[in-house]
Amino acid sequence: MVLKSIKLAWVLMWCFFISATAYAQEEGAATARQVVEKFQAELIEVMKNGKQLGYAGRYDKLKDPISNSHDLTKIARIVVGKEWEKLSEAQQQELVDVFSRLSIASYAHNFKDYSGESFVFDSEEETTRGGVVVHSHLVIPGEKDVKFDYMLKEKGDSWRIINIIANGVSDLALKRSEYTAILQREGFDALIAKINEKIDNYSKQ
């Protein structure tokens, strides 16, 4: 009887292990579209409570959704281009940290309230470099839709957003043009100060 109980316990443990592993694999194998749609759903949820939350509340609520869906380290590297290699390891980490805060602050500022908006998936396509572009649009009642193209690359066992193009304008390209110029002309400390200034302005508007 004891032997049967031990065997049963092992069988149950093994079944639990298999189920947990399968669940973890399923969770880790989210498609690029699923990553985008999950982020969009979390963004809409914050917008619905935007006024009650205030800027600080929206910032806190968006911190994890943005960190979990965006490759903020890769974005920071792309933004400064070849200048990245000239930075020390400490400077690189500082840039990633401040740029991460800027990304969250930007969303907290720009998506502050809700008036019936919704995201609609359009299509997705693979890029020649192994990435995926997810095309969607934001429906704004009474206004013209905003087209969003999310560019994603694989990072580990997940897809991460590395650039967002809104109505044909690349956020990454705009930042790269501005920040690379500051870094080359005025130096690293000036760039960090400029980004912190933007974060501060977002929090006050």
Side-chain angles (χ1 to χ4, degrees), residues 74-137:
K74 189 174 187 66
I75 292 172
R77 291 188 64 166
I78 294 173
V79 161
V80 296
K82 295 179 180 179
E83 299 298 316
W84 175 267
E85 301 300 332
K86 300 176 184 178
L87 302 177
S88 68
E89 190 173 326
Q91 288 176 322
Q92 290 174 350
Q93 186 57 55
E94 186 177 358
L95 181 62
V96 171
D97 291 343
V98 75
F99 191 79
S100 298
R101 290 193 291 109
L102 175 66
S103 298
I104 301 166
S106 176
Y107 275 108
H109 168 72
N110 292 314
F111 294 85
K112 61 182 69 174
D113 52 25
Y114 180 76
S115 55
E117 291 86 352
S118 61
F119 282 100
V120 177
F121 170 79
D122 293 322
S123 63
E124 66 179 327
E125 61 181 300
E126 294 184 4
T127 68
T128 55
R129 295 186 177 183
V132 170
V133 180
V134 176
H135 304 284
S136 64
H137 63 276

Short mmCIF file of all heavy atoms in Angstrom, two decimals, residues 74-137:
data_model
loop_
_atom_site.label_atom_id
_atom_site.label_comp_id
_atom_site.label_asym_id
_atom_site.label_seq_id
_atom_site.Cartn_x
_atom_site.Cartn_y
_atom_site.Cartn_z
N LYS A 74 18.06 47.63 -26.16
CA LYS A 74 18.35 47.70 -27.61
C LYS A 74 17.94 49.05 -28.17
O LYS A 74 18.65 49.63 -29.00
CB LYS A 74 17.61 46.57 -28.35
CG LYS A 74 18.02 46.43 -29.81
CD LYS A 74 17.38 45.23 -30.44
CE LYS A 74 17.90 44.99 -31.85
NZ LYS A 74 19.32 44.61 -31.88
N ILE A 75 16.81 49.57 -27.72
CA ILE A 75 16.33 50.87 -28.19
C ILE A 75 17.35 51.96 -27.84
O ILE A 75 17.67 52.81 -28.67
CB ILE A 75 14.95 51.20 -27.58
CG1 ILE A 75 13.89 50.25 -28.16
CG2 ILE A 75 14.57 52.65 -27.89
CD1 ILE A 75 12.54 50.36 -27.49
N ALA A 76 17.84 51.92 -26.61
CA ALA A 76 18.84 52.91 -26.17
C ALA A 76 20.09 52.83 -27.03
O ALA A 76 20.67 53.85 -27.41
CB ALA A 76 19.18 52.70 -24.70
N ARG A 77 20.51 51.61 -27.36
CA ARG A 77 21.70 51.43 -28.20
C ARG A 77 21.47 51.98 -29.60
O ARG A 77 22.34 52.65 -30.18
CB ARG A 77 22.06 49.95 -28.29
CG ARG A 77 22.56 49.35 -27.00
CD ARG A 77 23.09 47.94 -27.21
NE ARG A 77 24.25 47.93 -28.09
CZ ARG A 77 25.06 46.89 -28.24
NH1 ARG A 77 24.83 45.78 -27.56
NH2 ARG A 77 26.09 46.96 -29.05
N ILE A 78 20.30 51.70 -30.16
CA ILE A 78 19.99 52.18 -31.51
C ILE A 78 19.93 53.71 -31.55
O ILE A 78 20.39 54.35 -32.50
CB ILE A 78 18.65 51.58 -32.00
CG1 ILE A 78 18.79 50.06 -32.17
CG2 ILE A 78 18.22 52.22 -33.33
CD1 ILE A 78 17.47 49.36 -32.48
N VAL A 79 19.37 54.29 -30.49
CA VAL A 79 19.19 55.74 -30.43
C VAL A 79 20.51 56.50 -30.54
O VAL A 79 20.57 57.54 -31.18
CB VAL A 79 18.45 56.13 -29.13
CG1 VAL A 79 18.65 57.60 -28.80
CG2 VAL A 79 16.96 55.86 -29.27
N VAL A 80 21.57 55.98 -29.92
CA VAL A 80 22.85 56.69 -29.98
C VAL A 80 23.81 56.11 -31.03
O VAL A 80 24.91 56.62 -31.23
CB VAL A 80 23.55 56.71 -28.59
CG1 VAL A 80 22.72 57.49 -27.60
CG2 VAL A 80 23.82 55.29 -28.08
N GLY A 81 23.37 55.06 -31.71
CA GLY A 81 24.15 54.51 -32.82
C GLY A 81 25.58 54.11 -32.45
O GLY A 81 25.82 53.51 -31.40
N LYS A 82 26.53 54.50 -33.28
CA LYS A 82 27.94 54.13 -33.08
C LYS A 82 28.53 54.76 -31.82
O LYS A 82 29.55 54.29 -31.31
CB LYS A 82 28.76 54.54 -34.30
CG LYS A 82 28.39 53.79 -35.57
CD LYS A 82 29.23 54.27 -36.75
CE LYS A 82 28.87 53.52 -38.03
NZ LYS A 82 29.67 53.98 -39.20
N GLU A 83 27.88 55.80 -31.31
CA GLU A 83 28.38 56.46 -30.11
C GLU A 83 28.32 55.53 -28.89
O GLU A 83 29.01 55.75 -27.91
CB GLU A 83 27.57 57.73 -29.82
CG GLU A 83 27.65 58.79 -30.91
CD GLU A 83 29.07 59.29 -31.11
OE1 GLU A 83 29.76 59.56 -30.11
OE2 GLU A 83 29.49 59.43 -32.28
N TRP A 84 27.46 54.50 -28.97
CA TRP A 84 27.30 53.55 -27.86
C TRP A 84 28.63 52.92 -27.47
O TRP A 84 28.94 52.77 -26.28
CB TRP A 84 26.29 52.47 -28.25
CG TRP A 84 26.12 51.36 -27.25
CD1 TRP A 84 26.80 50.17 -27.21
CD2 TRP A 84 25.24 51.35 -26.12
NE1 TRP A 84 26.38 49.40 -26.15
CE2 TRP A 84 25.41 50.10 -25.46
CE3 TRP A 84 24.30 52.25 -25.60
CZ2 TRP A 84 24.69 49.75 -24.32
CZ3 TRP A 84 23.58 51.90 -24.47
CH2 TRP A 84 23.78 50.67 -23.83
N GLU A 85 29.41 52.53 -28.45
CA GLU A 85 30.69 51.85 -28.21
C GLU A 85 31.71 52.76 -27.54
O GLU A 85 32.68 52.29 -26.94
CB GLU A 85 31.26 51.32 -29.53
CG GLU A 85 30.35 50.34 -30.25
CD GLU A 85 30.02 49.10 -29.43
OE1 GLU A 85 30.85 48.72 -28.56
OE2 GLU A 85 28.94 48.52 -29.63
N LYS A 86 31.51 54.06 -27.64
CA LYS A 86 32.45 55.01 -27.02
C LYS A 86 32.13 55.26 -25.55
O LYS A 86 32.93 55.87 -24.83
CB LYS A 86 32.40 56.35 -27.78
CG LYS A 86 32.78 56.24 -29.25
CD LYS A 86 32.63 57.58 -29.96
CE LYS A 86 32.91 57.47 -31.45
NZ LYS A 86 32.73 58.77 -32.15
N LEU A 87 30.97 54.79 -25.10
CA LEU A 87 30.56 55.00 -23.71
C LEU A 87 31.12 53.92 -22.81
O LEU A 87 31.30 52.77 -23.22
CB LEU A 87 29.03 55.00 -23.61
CG LEU A 87 28.27 56.02 -24.46
CD1 LEU A 87 26.76 55.82 -24.29
CD2 LEU A 87 28.66 57.44 -24.08
N SER A 88 31.40 54.28 -21.57
CA SER A 88 31.84 53.28 -20.59
C SER A 88 30.65 52.40 -20.21
O SER A 88 29.49 52.74 -20.50
CB SER A 88 32.38 53.98 -19.33
OG SER A 88 31.32 54.63 -18.64
N GLU A 89 30.91 51.30 -19.57
CA GLU A 89 29.83 50.39 -19.15
C GLU A 89 28.86 51.10 -18.20
O GLU A 89 27.65 50.92 -18.30
CB GLU A 89 30.43 49.16 -18.45
CG GLU A 89 29.41 48.07 -18.20
CD GLU A 89 30.05 46.80 -17.67
OE1 GLU A 89 31.19 46.47 -18.07
OE2 GLU A 89 29.40 46.12 -16.84
N ALA A 90 29.40 51.92 -17.31
CA ALA A 90 28.56 52.66 -16.36
C ALA A 90 27.68 53.67 -17.10
O ALA A 90 26.51 53.86 -16.77
CB ALA A 90 29.43 53.38 -15.33
N GLN A 91 28.25 54.33 -18.12
CA GLN A 91 27.49 55.29 -18.90
C GLN A 91 26.39 54.59 -19.71
O GLN A 91 25.27 55.11 -19.83
CB GLN A 91 28.42 56.07 -19.84
CG GLN A 91 29.30 57.08 -19.14
CD GLN A 91 30.26 57.75 -20.10
OE1 GLN A 91 30.80 57.12 -21.02
NE2 GLN A 91 30.50 59.04 -19.91
N GLN A 92 26.71 53.44 -20.26
CA GLN A 92 25.72 52.68 -21.01
C GLN A 92 24.53 52.32 -20.13
O GLN A 92 23.38 52.47 -20.53
CB GLN A 92 26.36 51.40 -21.60
CG GLN A 92 27.35 51.66 -22.71
CD GLN A 92 28.06 50.41 -23.17
OE1 GLN A 92 27.96 49.34 -22.54
NE2 GLN A 92 28.79 50.51 -24.28
N GLN A 93 24.82 51.86 -18.92
CA GLN A 93 23.76 51.48 -17.99
C GLN A 93 22.94 52.70 -17.58
O GLN A 93 21.71 52.63 -17.48
CB GLN A 93 24.35 50.81 -16.75
CG GLN A 93 23.28 50.25 -15.80
CD GLN A 93 22.36 49.26 -16.47
OE1 GLN A 93 22.82 48.26 -17.05
NE2 GLN A 93 21.06 49.51 -16.43
N GLU A 94 23.61 53.81 -17.36
CA GLU A 94 22.90 55.05 -17.00
C GLU A 94 21.99 55.50 -18.13
O GLU A 94 20.86 55.95 -17.89
CB GLU A 94 23.90 56.15 -16.66
CG GLU A 94 23.25 57.43 -16.13
CD GLU A 94 24.24 58.51 -15.74
OE1 GLU A 94 25.47 58.27 -15.83
OE2 GLU A 94 23.79 59.60 -15.34
N LEU A 95 22.47 55.37 -19.36
CA LEU A 95 21.67 55.75 -20.52
C LEU A 95 20.43 54.86 -20.64
O LEU A 95 19.32 55.36 -20.89
CB LEU A 95 22.50 55.67 -21.80
CG LEU A 95 21.78 56.07 -23.09
CD1 LEU A 95 21.34 57.53 -23.03
CD2 LEU A 95 22.67 55.83 -24.30
N VAL A 96 20.60 53.57 -20.46
CA VAL A 96 19.47 52.64 -20.51
C VAL A 96 18.45 52.97 -19.43
O VAL A 96 17.24 53.00 -19.69
CB VAL A 96 19.94 51.17 -20.36
CG1 VAL A 96 18.74 50.23 -20.20
CG2 VAL A 96 20.78 50.74 -21.55
N ASP A 97 18.92 53.25 -18.23
CA ASP A 97 18.03 53.57 -17.11
C ASP A 97 17.22 54.84 -17.38
O ASP A 97 16.01 54.87 -17.19
CB ASP A 97 18.83 53.73 -15.82
CG ASP A 97 19.41 52.42 -15.32
OD1 ASP A 97 18.94 51.36 -15.77
OD2 ASP A 97 20.34 52.45 -14.49
N VAL A 98 17.91 55.90 -17.81
CA VAL A 98 17.22 57.17 -18.03
C VAL A 98 16.31 57.10 -19.26
O VAL A 98 15.22 57.69 -19.27
CB VAL A 98 18.23 58.34 -18.16
CG1 VAL A 98 18.93 58.34 -19.51
CG2 VAL A 98 17.53 59.68 -17.94
N PHE A 99 16.72 56.34 -20.27
CA PHE A 99 15.88 56.21 -21.45
C PHE A 99 14.65 55.37 -21.15
O PHE A 99 13.56 55.63 -21.69
CB PHE A 99 16.66 55.58 -22.61
CG PHE A 99 15.93 55.67 -23.91
CD1 PHE A 99 15.94 56.85 -24.65
CD2 PHE A 99 15.20 54.60 -24.40
CE1 PHE A 99 15.24 56.95 -25.84
CE2 PHE A 99 14.50 54.69 -25.58
CZ PHE A 99 14.52 55.88 -26.31
N SER A 100 14.79 54.38 -20.27
CA SER A 100 13.64 53.58 -19.85
C SER A 100 12.62 54.46 -19.13
O SER A 100 11.41 54.37 -19.38
CB SER A 100 14.09 52.45 -18.91
OG SER A 100 14.96 51.57 -19.59
N ARG A 101 13.12 55.35 -18.26
CA ARG A 101 12.22 56.26 -17.55
C ARG A 101 11.55 57.22 -18.52
O ARG A 101 10.37 57.57 -18.36
CB ARG A 101 12.99 57.02 -16.47
CG ARG A 101 13.42 56.16 -15.30
CD ARG A 101 13.89 56.96 -14.11
NE ARG A 101 15.17 57.64 -14.35
CZ ARG A 101 15.31 58.94 -14.50
NH1 ARG A 101 14.24 59.74 -14.44
NH2 ARG A 101 16.51 59.47 -14.71
N LEU A 102 12.29 57.66 -19.54
CA LEU A 102 11.72 58.55 -20.55
C LEU A 102 10.58 57.86 -21.31
O LEU A 102 9.54 58.46 -21.57
CB LEU A 102 12.79 58.99 -21.54
CG LEU A 102 12.29 59.84 -22.73
CD1 LEU A 102 11.76 61.19 -22.25
CD2 LEU A 102 13.41 60.04 -23.75
N SER A 103 10.79 56.60 -21.67
CA SER A 103 9.77 55.85 -22.42
C SER A 103 8.49 55.73 -21.61
O SER A 103 7.38 55.94 -22.13
CB SER A 103 10.30 54.46 -22.79
OG SER A 103 11.44 54.56 -23.62
N ILE A 104 8.63 55.38 -20.35
CA ILE A 104 7.46 55.24 -19.48
C ILE A 104 6.77 56.58 -19.27
O ILE A 104 5.55 56.70 -19.33
CB ILE A 104 7.87 54.63 -18.12
CG1 ILE A 104 8.51 53.25 -18.33
CG2 ILE A 104 6.65 54.51 -17.18
CD1 ILE A 104 9.24 52.71 -17.11
N ALA A 105 7.58 57.62 -19.05
CA ALA A 105 7.04 58.97 -18.84
C ALA A 105 6.28 59.46 -20.07
O ALA A 105 5.23 60.11 -19.95
CB ALA A 105 8.18 59.94 -18.51
N SER A 106 6.79 59.14 -21.24
CA SER A 106 6.14 59.55 -22.48
C SER A 106 4.76 58.93 -22.62
O SER A 106 3.78 59.61 -22.97
CB SER A 106 7.02 59.16 -23.68
OG SER A 106 6.39 59.47 -24.89
N TYR A 107 4.67 57.64 -22.35
CA TYR A 107 3.37 56.97 -22.40
C TYR A 107 2.42 57.52 -21.33
O TYR A 107 1.23 57.75 -21.59
CB TYR A 107 3.54 55.46 -22.18
CG TYR A 107 3.89 54.69 -23.43
CD1 TYR A 107 5.16 54.17 -23.63
CD2 TYR A 107 2.93 54.45 -24.41
CE1 TYR A 107 5.48 53.44 -24.77
CE2 TYR A 107 3.23 53.72 -25.56
CZ TYR A 107 4.50 53.22 -25.73
OH TYR A 107 4.81 52.51 -26.86
N ALA A 108 2.93 57.72 -20.13
CA ALA A 108 2.11 58.23 -19.03
C ALA A 108 1.56 59.62 -19.35
O ALA A 108 0.45 59.97 -18.95
CB ALA A 108 2.92 58.28 -17.74
N HIS A 109 2.32 60.38 -20.10
CA HIS A 109 1.90 61.74 -20.49
C HIS A 109 0.93 61.73 -21.66
O HIS A 109 -0.09 62.44 -21.65
CB HIS A 109 3.13 62.57 -20.85
CG HIS A 109 2.79 63.87 -21.52
ND1 HIS A 109 2.25 64.94 -20.84
CD2 HIS A 109 2.91 64.26 -22.81
CE1 HIS A 109 2.03 65.94 -21.68
NE2 HIS A 109 2.43 65.55 -22.88
N ASN A 110 1.23 60.95 -22.68
CA ASN A 110 0.45 60.98 -23.92
C ASN A 110 -0.85 60.18 -23.87
O ASN A 110 -1.78 60.45 -24.63
CB ASN A 110 1.30 60.48 -25.09
CG ASN A 110 2.43 61.45 -25.43
OD1 ASN A 110 2.22 62.65 -25.51
ND2 ASN A 110 3.63 60.93 -25.61
N PHE A 111 -0.92 59.19 -23.00
CA PHE A 111 -2.13 58.36 -22.90
C PHE A 111 -2.75 58.58 -21.53
O PHE A 111 -2.77 57.68 -20.69
CB PHE A 111 -1.79 56.90 -23.15
CG PHE A 111 -1.31 56.62 -24.55
CD1 PHE A 111 0.03 56.79 -24.89
CD2 PHE A 111 -2.19 56.21 -25.54
CE1 PHE A 111 0.49 56.55 -26.19
CE2 PHE A 111 -1.75 55.96 -26.84
CZ PHE A 111 -0.42 56.13 -27.17
N LYS A 112 -3.29 59.77 -21.33
CA LYS A 112 -3.70 60.19 -19.98
C LYS A 112 -5.18 60.03 -19.68
O LYS A 112 -5.57 60.06 -18.52
CB LYS A 112 -3.29 61.64 -19.75
CG LYS A 112 -3.93 62.65 -20.71
CD LYS A 112 -3.42 64.06 -20.44
CE LYS A 112 -1.95 64.21 -20.81
NZ LYS A 112 -1.47 65.60 -20.68
N ASP A 113 -6.02 59.88 -20.72
CA ASP A 113 -7.44 59.71 -20.45
C ASP A 113 -8.09 58.85 -21.52
O ASP A 113 -7.43 58.42 -22.47
CB ASP A 113 -8.15 61.07 -20.33
CG ASP A 113 -7.87 61.96 -21.53
OD1 ASP A 113 -7.57 61.42 -22.62
OD2 ASP A 113 -7.95 63.19 -21.39
N TYR A 114 -9.37 58.58 -21.36
CA TYR A 114 -10.06 57.63 -22.24
C TYR A 114 -11.39 58.20 -22.71
O TYR A 114 -12.16 58.75 -21.92
CB TYR A 114 -10.30 56.33 -21.48
CG TYR A 114 -11.00 55.26 -22.27
CD1 TYR A 114 -10.32 54.53 -23.25
CD2 TYR A 114 -12.35 54.96 -22.04
CE1 TYR A 114 -10.96 53.54 -23.98
CE2 TYR A 114 -12.99 53.96 -22.77
CZ TYR A 114 -12.29 53.26 -23.73
OH TYR A 114 -12.92 52.28 -24.45
N SER A 115 -11.65 58.09 -24.01
CA SER A 115 -12.92 58.56 -24.56
C SER A 115 -13.43 57.57 -25.60
O SER A 115 -13.89 57.96 -26.68
CB SER A 115 -12.76 59.95 -25.16
OG SER A 115 -11.73 59.98 -26.15
N GLY A 116 -13.26 56.28 -25.29
CA GLY A 116 -13.76 55.24 -26.18
C GLY A 116 -12.77 54.71 -27.19
O GLY A 116 -13.13 54.01 -28.13
N GLU A 117 -11.47 55.01 -27.01
CA GLU A 117 -10.45 54.54 -27.94
C GLU A 117 -10.31 53.01 -27.92
O GLU A 117 -10.58 52.37 -26.91
CB GLU A 117 -9.09 55.16 -27.61
CG GLU A 117 -8.97 56.64 -27.86
CD GLU A 117 -9.45 57.49 -26.70
OE1 GLU A 117 -10.02 56.91 -25.73
OE2 GLU A 117 -9.27 58.71 -26.75
N SER A 118 -9.87 52.47 -29.04
CA SER A 118 -9.61 51.03 -29.11
C SER A 118 -8.57 50.74 -30.20
O SER A 118 -8.52 51.45 -31.22
CB SER A 118 -10.89 50.25 -29.41
OG SER A 118 -11.44 50.63 -30.67
N PHE A 119 -7.74 49.74 -29.96
CA PHE A 119 -6.75 49.33 -30.95
C PHE A 119 -7.34 48.20 -31.81
O PHE A 119 -8.04 47.31 -31.30
CB PHE A 119 -5.48 48.81 -30.26
CG PHE A 119 -4.58 49.89 -29.74
CD1 PHE A 119 -4.60 50.24 -28.40
CD2 PHE A 119 -3.72 50.57 -30.59
CE1 PHE A 119 -3.76 51.23 -27.90
CE2 PHE A 119 -2.89 51.57 -30.11
CZ PHE A 119 -2.90 51.90 -28.76
N VAL A 120 -7.06 48.25 -33.10
CA VAL A 120 -7.53 47.22 -34.03
C VAL A 120 -6.34 46.65 -34.80
O VAL A 120 -5.54 47.40 -35.36
CB VAL A 120 -8.56 47.80 -35.03
CG1 VAL A 120 -9.00 46.73 -36.03
CG2 VAL A 120 -9.76 48.37 -34.29
N PHE A 121 -6.21 45.33 -34.78
CA PHE A 121 -5.13 44.66 -35.52
C PHE A 121 -5.43 44.69 -37.01
O PHE A 121 -6.55 44.42 -37.43
CB PHE A 121 -5.00 43.22 -35.03
CG PHE A 121 -4.09 42.37 -35.88
CD1 PHE A 121 -2.72 42.46 -35.74
CD2 PHE A 121 -4.61 41.49 -36.82
CE1 PHE A 121 -1.87 41.69 -36.53
CE2 PHE A 121 -3.78 40.71 -37.61
CZ PHE A 121 -2.40 40.81 -37.45
N ASP A 122 -4.42 45.00 -37.81
CA ASP A 122 -4.57 45.02 -39.27
C ASP A 122 -3.89 43.82 -39.92
O ASP A 122 -4.52 43.04 -40.63
CB ASP A 122 -4.03 46.33 -39.84
CG ASP A 122 -4.86 47.53 -39.41
OD1 ASP A 122 -6.09 47.42 -39.34
OD2 ASP A 122 -4.26 48.58 -39.13
N SER A 123 -2.59 43.69 -39.71
CA SER A 123 -1.84 42.60 -40.32
C SER A 123 -0.46 42.51 -39.69
O SER A 123 -0.09 43.34 -38.86
CB SER A 123 -1.70 42.82 -41.83
OG SER A 123 -0.95 44.00 -42.08
N GLU A 124 0.29 41.51 -40.07
CA GLU A 124 1.68 41.40 -39.63
C GLU A 124 2.52 40.81 -40.74
O GLU A 124 2.01 40.09 -41.60
CB GLU A 124 1.80 40.58 -38.35
CG GLU A 124 1.43 39.13 -38.46
CD GLU A 124 1.61 38.39 -37.14
OE1 GLU A 124 2.51 38.73 -36.36
OE2 GLU A 124 0.81 37.46 -36.89
N GLU A 125 3.80 41.14 -40.73
CA GLU A 125 4.69 40.64 -41.77
C GLU A 125 6.08 40.43 -41.21
O GLU A 125 6.49 41.10 -40.25
CB GLU A 125 4.74 41.62 -42.94
CG GLU A 125 5.25 43.01 -42.54
CD GLU A 125 5.29 43.98 -43.70
OE1 GLU A 125 6.00 43.68 -44.67
OE2 GLU A 125 4.63 45.03 -43.61
N GLU A 126 6.80 39.48 -41.80
CA GLU A 126 8.17 39.23 -41.39
C GLU A 126 9.11 40.15 -42.17
O GLU A 126 8.86 40.45 -43.33
CB GLU A 126 8.54 37.77 -41.64
CG GLU A 126 7.78 36.79 -40.76
CD GLU A 126 8.26 35.36 -40.97
OE1 GLU A 126 9.24 35.17 -41.73
OE2 GLU A 126 7.68 34.45 -40.37
N THR A 127 10.18 40.57 -41.51
CA THR A 127 11.17 41.40 -42.19
C THR A 127 12.31 40.52 -42.69
O THR A 127 12.44 39.37 -42.29
CB THR A 127 11.75 42.47 -41.24
OG1 THR A 127 12.53 41.82 -40.22
CG2 THR A 127 10.63 43.26 -40.58
N THR A 128 13.14 41.08 -43.55
CA THR A 128 14.24 40.30 -44.13
C THR A 128 15.31 39.97 -43.09
O THR A 128 16.12 39.07 -43.29
CB THR A 128 14.89 41.08 -45.29
OG1 THR A 128 15.29 42.38 -44.81
CG2 THR A 128 13.92 41.24 -46.44
N ARG A 129 15.30 40.70 -41.96
CA ARG A 129 16.31 40.47 -40.93
C ARG A 129 15.78 39.65 -39.76
O ARG A 129 16.33 39.66 -38.66
CB ARG A 129 16.86 41.80 -40.43
CG ARG A 129 17.62 42.58 -41.50
CD ARG A 129 18.28 43.81 -40.93
NE ARG A 129 19.06 44.53 -41.92
CZ ARG A 129 19.78 45.61 -41.67
NH1 ARG A 129 19.80 46.11 -40.44
NH2 ARG A 129 20.47 46.21 -42.64
N GLY A 130 14.69 38.95 -39.97
CA GLY A 130 14.18 38.06 -38.94
C GLY A 130 13.26 38.71 -37.93
O GLY A 130 12.91 38.10 -36.91
N GLY A 131 12.85 39.92 -38.19
CA GLY A 131 11.94 40.60 -37.29
C GLY A 131 10.50 40.47 -37.77
O GLY A 131 10.21 39.80 -38.77
N VAL A 132 9.60 41.09 -37.05
CA VAL A 132 8.19 41.08 -37.41
C VAL A 132 7.65 42.50 -37.25
O VAL A 132 8.01 43.20 -36.29
CB VAL A 132 7.37 40.12 -36.53
CG1 VAL A 132 5.87 40.31 -36.75
CG2 VAL A 132 7.75 38.68 -36.82
N VAL A 133 6.82 42.93 -38.19
CA VAL A 133 6.14 44.22 -38.07
C VAL A 133 4.64 43.94 -37.89
O VAL A 133 4.05 43.25 -38.70
CB VAL A 133 6.35 45.11 -39.31
CG1 VAL A 133 5.62 46.44 -39.12
CG2 VAL A 133 7.84 45.35 -39.55
N VAL A 134 4.08 44.45 -36.79
CA VAL A 134 2.66 44.30 -36.52
C VAL A 134 1.98 45.63 -36.86
O VAL A 134 2.30 46.66 -36.29
CB VAL A 134 2.40 43.93 -35.04
CG1 VAL A 134 0.90 43.88 -34.76
CG2 VAL A 134 3.05 42.59 -34.71
N HIS A 135 1.05 45.57 -37.81
CA HIS A 135 0.32 46.77 -38.24
C HIS A 135 -1.03 46.83 -37.52
O HIS A 135 -1.77 45.84 -37.51
CB HIS A 135 0.09 46.74 -39.75
CG HIS A 135 1.34 46.60 -40.56
ND1 HIS A 135 2.21 47.65 -40.76
CD2 HIS A 135 1.88 45.54 -41.21
CE1 HIS A 135 3.22 47.26 -41.52
NE2 HIS A 135 3.05 45.97 -41.81
N SER A 136 -1.34 47.97 -36.93
CA SER A 136 -2.62 48.15 -36.27
C SER A 136 -2.99 49.62 -36.33
O SER A 136 -2.22 50.45 -36.82
CB SER A 136 -2.56 47.66 -34.82
OG SER A 136 -1.66 48.45 -34.06
N HIS A 137 -4.17 49.95 -35.83
CA HIS A 137 -4.54 51.36 -35.77
C HIS A 137 -5.37 51.63 -34.52
O HIS A 137 -6.03 50.73 -33.99
CB HIS A 137 -5.27 51.81 -37.03
CG HIS A 137 -6.60 51.13 -37.27
ND1 HIS A 137 -6.72 49.91 -37.89
CD2 HIS A 137 -7.87 51.51 -36.96
CE1 HIS A 137 -7.98 49.55 -37.97
NE2 HIS A 137 -8.71 50.51 -37.40
#
